[in-house]
Amino acid sequence: MSTKPASERATPWALVTPALLWTLCFFVLPFAAMALTSVTAKDGSFTLSNYAQFFENPSYWRAMVNSLQVTAIVTVVSVLLAYPLAWILAEQVPERFQRLALMLAVLPFWTSYVVRSYSWLLVLAQNGVVNRVLTGSGLFADPVQLANTRLATVIGFVHFFVMLLTLTIFANLKQLSPSYRKAAADLGAGPVRTFIHVILPLTLPGIVVGAFLTFVLAIGDYITPQILGGNNELLMPQLIMMQIGRRGDFPLASALAIILMAVVTVAYLASARWLKIERA
Amino acid sequence: MRAFAKILATVYALLLYGFIFLPVVVLVLFSLQATQFPIPPFTGPSTRWYAAVLADTRLTTGLLHSILVAVGSSLVAVTLGFLSAWGFARFYLPGSAFLRGLITLPLTVSYLIIGMGLLVLFNRVGIPKSLAAAGIGHVVVNLPLCFAIIYSQMGDHQINIERAARDLGASEWKVLLLVTVPVMAPAIFASFFLSMTFSWDEFVISFLLTRFETTLPVEIWNLLRSGLNPKTNAVGSLVFGVSIVLVVAFELLLFRRKQS
């Protein structure tokens, strides 16, 4: 290796500096500004009162509990619904129709996120399709309150994440070599035993990645709980947006956002460790 | 037993497809209804609300703004992502792993927090809310994506082509523009397309960082305040239609590429 002239050594830095600068100015710096704002009192002195408020005010605390509960339910239900569908697509549908079947299964994924939540509102409203069917069939005398409940939020979330997880789990199942299944069959295992002892363990790391993605995206989402859940029961993103929108309280909003980020980071560390053990 | 399992699988798949398509079908169906509310019973097709959407200047300018922000921010994100991916893949840089981690870090943070950080920073520095501010936010979320996609596609076989070009006397920038960019075109195109769709659909960053001039998702959000409104159905169906055309076009492009 000959020593390169100075102009050539400058080239790689010229290539990577714009991207690094962008990340520093518009990601790291904003985060620092948010952290600083969260510990600054109105008179400019240092304070932890914004963080203390979160632990002292039961309604703020409640929003975090709600968020964790809803996200946990959504993650579990989505995985349980998506796995069989991905399996059917990968195993039961003929090879040449698989791409089409998969594209169809995730087609509504491409509607606007805001519009998708609104569509569920149409379905679940007091005079919407579901209530028409329920009252029309005589099962219920009066319309059931579905919109503006936790159930509506969960349904809206599950709809989105079933599509996302079907995609990732399908990819996972297709990557498995067929020789695993043949080996299991040669050793005398039936389809059920093959699935439980071979296929499921091999796809588990992929499921954990998908579940983690679901957790992160769902816990930080404002649109779905705001449109479908309404204001009866607040989740963390709604609480944060409320501080900005109605009250203009940036310090409290910053503190709440940082607490939410801390929770996600803890979840990441927990699942990352578990993932590594699984892979080994 | 086997036949029973097959039936069970078919029923399950149909139920889930039903669940997945239910809201979209309801959305499109009741966008075609002339009544004041998009609720059953369905009373026959009408394009009344589509005409209302196209006549609504707030929605049409929102659409233009969305396209502007999506194209602009995606161009910046792809350019920065490509240059940095090339720099990291081809040259030895001290602290490379750390710096690459830094560039991809925004992927792990929710849009809400990225938008809030920018809002707080811009507020402190005195930068007003605008479409450009939202565009900056969109680059923040899409740059890591473009970088990761293009970086992962920078294989060793391309190094030899680049070496050949250099041996033939091409300068670094000539190699970049005449050799690397054409070879990497599929990855560049894919990341540009993905950035476009994310920016096109993004709500919370635009909501926080724009004021008077805003993007289509925020305008649709404003429509939602009036409750169930057939106009929202119509504009939602239109957005859905455009997205489907884009996705199918993208699929066909990729498919043709694979076959040739």
Side-chain angles (χ1 to χ4, degrees):
Chain A
M1 271 267 173
S2 59
T3 41
K4 289 177 179 169
S7 67
E8 238 171 73
R9 255 180 287 140
T11 312
W13 287 112
L15 293 169
V16 300
T17 304
L20 287 172
L21 268 183
W22 196 283
T23 310
L24 283 177
C25 290
F26 300 122
F27 179 71
V28 178
L29 202 60
F31 188 73
M34 206 163 72
L36 190 68
T37 302
S38 75
V39 292
T40 308
K42 283 210 173 67
D43 58 5
S45 62
F46 175 83
T47 175
L48 282 175
S49 70
N50 292 309
Y51 290 91
Q53 270 194 64
F54 171 73
F55 293 100
E56 283 161 8
N57 190 328
S59 65
Y60 296 173
W61 185 244
R62 186 71 223 164
M64 178 59 93
V65 175
N66 289 340
S67 266
L68 287 171
Q69 283 173 346
V70 166
T71 309
I73 295 169
V74 165
T75 307
V76 172
V77 173
S78 302
V79 170
L80 289 180
L81 285 178
Y83 198 104
L85 184 64
W87 184 83
I88 291 167
L89 286 175
E91 304 281 330
Q92 303 282 314
V93 176
E95 195 82 28
R96 49 195 287 246
F97 295 123
Q98 278 186 359
R99 218 181 153 72
L100 183 68
L102 189 70
M103 249 186 101
L104 276 177
V106 299
L107 203 63
F109 198 76
W110 300 105
T111 46
S112 148
Y113 199 96
V114 173
V115 172
R116 199 168 31 237
S117 292
Y118 166 76
S119 311
W120 274 110
L121 199 60
L122 286 175
V123 174
L124 301 172
Q126 202 74 11
N127 39 19
V129 178
V130 169
N131 267 318
R132 279 286 160 146
V133 172
L134 287 180
T135 51
S137 67
L139 275 171
F140 291 84
D142 299 309
V144 187
Q145 168 85 31
L146 292 168
N148 297 319
T149 63
R150 177 184 280 200
L151 180 67
T153 306
V154 170
I155 290 177
F157 269 136
V158 165
H159 180 244
F160 181 75
F161 290 111
V162 159
M163 292 189 278
L164 190 80
L165 286 165
T166 302
L167 265 181
T168 56
I169 297 172
F170 175 84
N172 235 289
L173 284 166
K174 290 302 276 185
Q175 275 168 7
L176 293 185
S177 160
S179 33
Y180 285 120
R181 187 172 333 218
K182 277 182 201 148
D186 283 349
L187 294 169
V192 176
R193 279 186 70 184
T194 308
F195 178 76
I196 292 173
H197 293 288
V198 180
I199 311 283
L200 191 60
L202 282 171
T203 48
L204 209 54
I207 296 174
V208 175
V209 172
F212 176 70
L213 198 69
T214 304
F215 179 87
V216 171
L217 291 175
I219 205 164
D221 183 41
Y222 167 68
I223 300 170
T224 305
Q226 183 64 29
I227 294 180
L228 290 169
N231 286 327
N232 293 334
E233 172 188 85
L234 291 184
L235 303 191
M236 276 304 273
Q238 291 173 286
L239 184 65
I240 293 170
M241 290 295 270
M242 205 174 253
Q243 308 314 318
I244 303 172
R246 283 195 202 158
R247 304 180 43 200
D249 192 341
F250 282 26
L252 181 57
S254 299
L256 293 172
I258 287 172
I259 290 170
L260 182 62
M261 235 180 104
V263 169
V264 173
T265 310
V266 168
Y268 170 71
L269 292 176
S271 68
R273 243 179 105 186
W274 193 67
L275 249 184
K276 262 177 206 150
I277 295 165
E278 271 311 311
R279 271 197 187 131
Chain B
M1 184 61 201
R2 182 142 271 190
F4 177 71
K6 198 120 205 166
I7 292 169
L8 202 69
T10 313
V11 169
Y12 184 83
L14 286 178
L15 277 178
L16 249 94
Y17 272 88
F19 171 67
I20 287 169
F21 274 91
L22 176 65
V24 180
V25 170
V26 171
L27 176 82
V28 177
L29 186 66
F30 290 107
S31 73
L32 294 166
Q33 171 161 292
T35 53
Q36 208 63 42
F37 293 103
I39 51 169
F42 184 66
T43 53
S46 149
T47 52
R48 174 184 170 192
W49 297 109
Y50 286 88
V53 166
L54 295 177
D56 188 330
T57 49
R58 291 189 57 158
L59 289 175
T60 47
T61 48
L63 173 81
L64 284 180
H65 291 155
S66 269
I67 294 172
L68 197 71
V69 171
V71 172
S73 70
S74 301
L75 279 177
V76 174
V78 166
T79 308
L80 296 186
F82 170 72
L83 290 178
S84 52
W86 199 58
F88 281 119
R90 289 289 177 272
F91 302 94
Y92 169 77
L93 287 168
S96 173
F98 170 75
L99 294 175
R100 274 181 282 139
L102 185 67
I103 290 183
T104 46
L105 197 59
L107 278 181
T108 58
V109 179
S110 83
Y111 285 14
L112 173 66
I113 290 170
I114 289 173
M116 257 204 61
L118 284 168
L119 178 65
V120 170
L121 178 74
F122 288 171
N123 213 36
R124 276 176 176 256
V125 188
I127 297 174
K129 294 181 174 188
S130 69
L131 283 175
I136 288 175
H138 286 185
V139 175
V140 172
V141 296
N142 283 327
L143 169 59
L145 204 74
C146 294
F147 170 78
I149 292 174
I150 298 173
Y151 184 77
S152 71
Q153 295 297 313
M154 291 242 172
D156 288 337
H157 62 283
Q158 287 137 11
I159 294 180
N160 289 329
I161 314 177
E162 289 173 8
R163 269 200 198 123
R166 249 176 239 129
D167 285 349
L168 293 169
S171 68
E172 284 300 328
W173 293 105
K174 242 184 175 163
V175 171
L176 182 74
L177 283 177
L178 297 179
V179 178
T180 315
V181 169
V183 168
M184 296 300 297
I188 293 174
F189 180 69
S191 52
F192 179 75
F193 175 80
L194 220 60
S195 296
M196 285 269 290
T197 44
F198 282 159
S199 169
W200 164 255
D201 197 21
E202 201 287 323
F203 167 75
V204 100
I205 294 174
S206 306
F207 183 66
L208 287 171
L209 297 178
T210 60
R211 183 158 288 160
F212 303 113
E213 293 190 311
T214 191
T215 59
L216 191 57
V218 181
E219 289 292 5
I220 294 177
W221 177 270
N222 291 337
L223 265 185
L224 289 185
R225 289 203 191 130
S226 57
L228 299 184
N229 182 345
K231 222 158 115 183
T232 316
N233 286 47
V235 70
S237 306
L238 283 174
V239 171
F240 181 47
V242 170
S243 311
I244 295 304
V245 169
L246 280 176
V247 173
V248 170
F250 181 68
E251 271 282 322
L252 290 177
L253 260 172
L254 271 189
F255 194 58
R256 264 183 35 202
R257 210 171 255 288
K258 258 184 209 160
Q259 282 197 324
S260 62

